[in-house]
Amino acid sequence: MIGDKDIALWRGEDGKIRAWENRCPHRGMRLSYGIVRGNTLTCLYHGWSYDGTGGCAGIPAHPDLTPPKTIRTKVYRAADSGGMIWVANPEEATEVPAIDGAWAPNRSIHVDVAPANIAALTEGIGAELQSKITDHAAILRVPNIEEDILVAFLDMKEHGAMIHTAVPAKATEAVAIAVSKLSTHLRQVFKASSAA
Amino acid sequence: MKPDSFTHSQWYAIGRIGDFEGANAKPVRLLSQDLTVNNSAGVLSVADAEGRSLQSQIRYGHLWTTLSDNPRPLYDMPEFDEPDRRLVTAGGVGVRCSGLRCVENFLDMAHFPFVHTDILGVEDHSTVENYDVSMDADKDEIWATKCKFFQPLASAAATGGQMTEYKYRVPHPYSTILYKTCPIRENVWDLVGLFIQPVEEDECIVHSFILVFDEDNTDTGLLHFQQNIFLQDRMILENQVPRKLPLDPRWELPTRADASSIAYRRWLKANELQWGIALFDKAA
C-alpha cells in the first residue's frame, strides 16, 4: 500500500523491480497473487500474462489471439537504491533518490501511525539528522551505534505506516542487531494510543 | 443505498430449513436489513426489524423470503421434482464481495485451469471455445449453451478426464445454475447451483446445492467435492478489486470467453440494477 493505493511489487528474471496497480485489468484480481515466470507476471485468476512494461502478453482462453494493446496494467515508477525499493507515481518526474555507498537492508516494520515528517521520525528514534534524502527518508546518527543508518517511512493512511531501515554494507553484525532492536522499539513510539 | 426495484422485488434464499431448527428466533441479514426467522413448532416465518411479517416460502431445500409486497415469482426448476435425483445442500458460506461477483465467477470457465487446477481444468487445455449466449425474453433469464471444457475430474463421480458439456442459466440476479453432463447417465444433466443471499452491497452468503444422479458417493463425499471447489473460488472472490461489481466498461476489460459475463452485466444494466454495483472512479 502507498497511501490508499494498493501496489503489486515484483522482480523479473532480469532483476528489474516493477510496481503496478494491484489489479488485473480483466476482472480486478489482485496481481500480487500472480506468478512470476521469466520477465512476465501471470494473473492467478485466468492466467493472463503481462510483460515487463505492463502490456498484456497472453490470454490462455484464446491462445491464438494477440492481446489488444489497450489491455495494460497501471505502471508506477520503481527503482532500487540504498538497499530499498522506491516507488513514485507515473506522472511524477522526481529523480530516484541518490544514496552514496553500499547499504544492506535491515528491518521493515509496521507501525500504527505514520511519523508526521522526517523530524518526527528522527526524534522518535532519538537520533540526530545527518542528511535528508527525501521528505520520507534520511541518514541518521544514533547515539551508541557506531554507523550512520538509513531510514525511510511509508505512509499508508488508515493502514498505518512502514518504517524501513538499512545499515552500511560494511557494518558489523553487532550494528545490524542494534538497529534491528531499535526498529522493533519504534512500534511503541508510533503507537495508535500515543498519536494524540 | 436503498435497493433498486429489480433487487427489491426478488425472492432470496436465507438458509436451509434445518438451519432454523432448535431455536425460536434466529437473526438473518438481507439487503442491509436485519430480519428474524421465527420457528413456531416447526413452522417458519420471517419478520423485519419493525416486526412486520414478510412473505416466505420453502423451495429447493431452502427458506426464501422477500422484502417486497409484490415480488416477482421465484423461477422454476422442474428437475427438483424428478425421482432418483439426490439433493445435497452445502449450507451458507460468507464471502466478502458483492454476490453479483459470485454469479459472474460461477459463469466463468476460463479460470478452471488456474483456480481449480487438475480438478475442473488443466493449464494445457486452457482454450475456451465459442459458446452461445441467449436471452429468454419471456422468462427474462440468460442462458449460455454449448459450453465445452476439458476437465480432468469434473465431479465426485468422474473417473478420469473428459470433455464436459455445460449449460448455464441465470434466472435471477443472485442465482445461477449449471447443467453439466452427467458422468454416469446418458442424455441427462446434473445440476449445481448457487442461491446467494446479499447481505450488504459488498458482502454475501452463498448457499449452494447439487442435484445429481450419483449412486456411489456419499452425501459427505459430494459435499467435500463442492466445498473444495467453492473455497478455491472464495480466495479469488475476496481478492477482486473493487468488491462491488463494476459495470462501466472502462474499469474491466472482457474477452470472447467472457460472453456470458458480458450478457449478465448488460442484463443487470437493462434492469437498472444499482445496488451492489461499483461506480466508475476516475482516480482509480
Side-chain angles (χ1 to χ4, degrees), chain A residues 9-26:
Chain A
L9 206 58
W10 66 283
R11 204 185 285 280
E13 225 169 52
D14 57 7
K16 213 179 148 214
I17 190 74
R18 280 132 182 136
W20 292 354
E21 182 184 17
N22 195 9
R23 192 178 68 82
C24 178
H26 173 222

Side-chain angles (χ1 to χ4, degrees), chain A residues 21-23 25-30 33 37 44-48 59-63 65 70-71 74, chain B residues 101 104-105 108 111 114-115 123 126-128 235 239-241 251-258 261 265:
Chain A
E21 182 184 17
N22 195 9
R23 192 178 68 82
H26 173 222
R27 284 295 178 253
M29 179 65 192
R30 290 200 167 101
Y33 283 78
R37 288 171 174 162
L44 183 63
Y45 195 1
H46 298 97
W48 288 27
I59 297 176
H62 306 300
L65 179 84
T70 47
I71 306 177
K74 181 176 174 185
Chain B
R101 284 240 189 236
E104 198 170 78
N105 173 69
D108 178 75
H111 75 286
F114 303 94
V115 180
E123 227 182 301
S126 60
T127 302
V128 176
M235 191 272 294
N239 281 293
Q240 280 178 278
V241 185
W251 204 322
E252 291 183 353
L253 300 166
T255 184
R256 269 207 319 276
D258 299 311
S261 141
R265 291 185 183 200

Side-chain angles (χ1 to χ4, degrees), chain B residues 26-254:
Chain B
K26 205 178 162 185
V28 293
R29 194 156 168 89
L30 177 68
L31 300 172
S32 301
Q33 285 204 37
D34 289 318
L35 310 179
T36 307
V37 175
N38 294 298
N39 183 347
S40 172
V43 180
L44 301 178
S45 62
V46 186
D48 69 11
E50 281 79 49
R52 193 175 64 101
S53 175
L54 300 180
Q55 294 185 37
S56 64
Q57 60 175 310
I58 288 166
R59 251 174 119 181
Y60 312 138
H62 290 75
L63 173 67
W64 298 72
T65 193
T66 175
L67 300 184
S68 171
D69 296 326
N70 185 26
R72 287 158 193 267
L74 181 56
Y75 53 91
D76 280 321
M77 281 194 284
E79 294 83 1
F80 273 78
D81 300 324
E82 291 174 6
D84 299 340
R85 279 191 185 266
R86 287 176 52 196
L87 172 66
V88 178
T89 54
V93 179
V95 187
R96 283 166 294 183
C97 70
S98 160
L100 305 169
R101 284 240 189 236
C102 299
V103 171
E104 198 170 78
N105 173 69
F106 192 82
L107 298 175
D108 178 75
M109 289 181 285
H111 75 286
F112 290 165
F114 303 94
V115 180
H116 310 299
T117 314
D118 297 337
I119 306 171
L120 300 185
V122 281
E123 227 182 301
D124 292 347
H125 292 83
S126 60
T127 302
V128 176
E129 306 286 353
N130 287 350
Y131 53 91
D132 293 344
V133 181
S134 60
M135 284 297 307
D136 181 329
D138 291 343
K139 291 183 180 153
D140 193 25
E141 57 183 50
I142 305 167
W143 281 89
T145 54
K146 296 182 187 160
C147 308
K148 288 182 284 296
F149 207 77
F150 179 84
Q151 302 201 310
L153 189 65
S155 71
T159 49
Q162 61 174 1
M163 207 64 192
T164 308
E165 219 181 303
Y166 275 12
K167 289 194 291 189
Y168 289 99
R169 177 184 177 197
V170 186
H172 178 298
Y174 287 92
S175 289
T176 177
I177 304 122
L178 160 67
Y179 299 72
K180 69 200 281 186
T181 326
C182 175
I184 58 165
R185 279 202 194 191
E186 302 237 329
N187 302 317
V188 291
W189 301 89
D190 282 340
L191 271 60
V192 180
L194 306 182
F195 304 138
I196 299 164
Q197 172 187 345
V199 172
E200 307 293 345
E201 283 195 84
D202 60 357
E203 200 180 323
C204 65
I205 297 171
V206 177
H207 306 275
S208 64
F209 72 88
I210 55 177
L211 186 69
V212 295
F213 294 101
D214 183 327
E215 287 142 16
D216 298 328
N217 286 287
T218 60
D219 282 4
T220 308
L222 293 170
L223 184 66
H224 281 178
F225 183 85
Q226 223 45 40
Q227 282 181 335
N228 187 27
I229 297 296
F230 192 67
L231 292 181
Q232 291 174 337
D233 283 322
R234 187 169 73 164
M235 191 272 294
I236 297 290
L237 290 165
E238 295 198 333
N239 281 293
Q240 280 178 278
V241 185
R243 281 164 63 165
K244 291 192 263 185
L245 183 73
L247 290 186
D248 192 301
R250 287 172 291 179
W251 204 322
E252 291 183 353
L253 300 166

